[in-house]
Amino acid sequence: MECTKCQTSEANKESGLCDGCEQEEMCKINGLLYLPALGLILGIIGGGMELYGFTITIFNYFNETGFLSYYAMGAFALLISGFLVSIFAAWSFFKRKKGTRKAMIIYYTAGLIIALYVAVLPAIIFDVNPGSESIRLLIGGISGMVIWVPYFLFSKRIDMVFCR
């Protein structure tokens, strides 16, 4: 039986691909890695929209009151840094750079820190009940740390795809 891709070599029984084509397939971003890729794309789009909306809100509030709290300045700084980390992680991921593992761990850690700052800190300091958006952000940050950080740390597939 010939390889289903190159049709020149003998194929393995399990995959239908020859050893060379099978190795080439293993080095591609596919399978389970589509989920972090989708998360990165949505993270950049959502982060940009959040940053824009927060910036407009901050400027409107400052124009009305002439005051800007330390919490708002900290949130703005975290949103900017989170957006920049998202862009760097996406660039590293889609270019399949060697440092992608570290970039993705920093990306998920930054997501959790931003979620804690935006969702938990106002509940503690200002005694505000978190809304559904805050809870969604917090669940996303925690799930990123619980699911994806161990995956990027311990998966052999990450070594094959990103650590050529």
Side-chain angles (χ1 to χ4, degrees):
M1 182 169 116
E2 291 181 346
C3 175
T4 57
K5 188 173 183 182
C6 67
Q7 299 180 358
T8 58
S9 302
E10 186 68 27
N12 296 329
K13 289 182 181 181
E14 296 86 29
S15 65
L17 301 173
C18 65
D19 291 335
C21 292
E22 200 170 75
Q23 186 63 30
E24 184 180 316
E25 273 302 305
M26 291 301 291
C27 292
K28 289 183 179 178
I29 295 173
N30 55 18
L32 195 58
L33 286 175
Y34 282 140
L35 294 175
L38 180 64
L40 283 169
I41 293 169
L42 294 176
I44 290 173
I45 293 169
M49 289 173 31
E50 274 184 43
L51 187 59
Y52 176 75
F54 192 75
T55 303
I56 297 299
T57 304
I58 290 280
F59 280 126
N60 289 339
Y61 182 77
F62 183 74
N63 287 335
E64 289 177 15
T65 63
F67 173 73
L68 199 56
S69 69
Y70 290 122
Y71 173 78
M73 288 186 280
F76 185 67
L78 279 175
L79 286 175
I80 287 175
S81 62
F83 183 67
L84 293 175
V85 165
S86 298
I87 290 173
F88 176 73
W91 176 78
S92 179
F93 186 89
F94 291 115
K95 289 285 189 175
R96 293 190 289 162
K97 297 290 185 183
K98 191 171 185 156
T100 300
R101 173 179 283 157
K102 291 177 187 172
M104 292 303 290
I105 291 170
I106 291 169
Y107 168 73
Y108 289 119
T109 304
L112 180 63
I113 290 170
I114 292 169
L116 289 173
Y117 190 86
V118 171
V120 176
L121 194 61
I124 293 171
I125 293 177
F126 305 120
D127 199 31
V128 174
N129 291 332
S132 63
E133 182 70 23
S134 297
I135 292 172
R136 185 193 63 78
L137 185 66
L138 190 61
I139 289 172
I142 291 171
S143 65
M145 286 298 288
V146 170
I147 296 169
W148 294 112
V149 168
Y151 178 75
F152 276 93
L153 283 174
F154 303 118
S155 175
K156 291 179 173 42
R157 176 126 167 87
I158 298 301
D159 289 334
M160 289 190 302
V161 174
F162 298 108
C163 299
R164 298 178 246 154

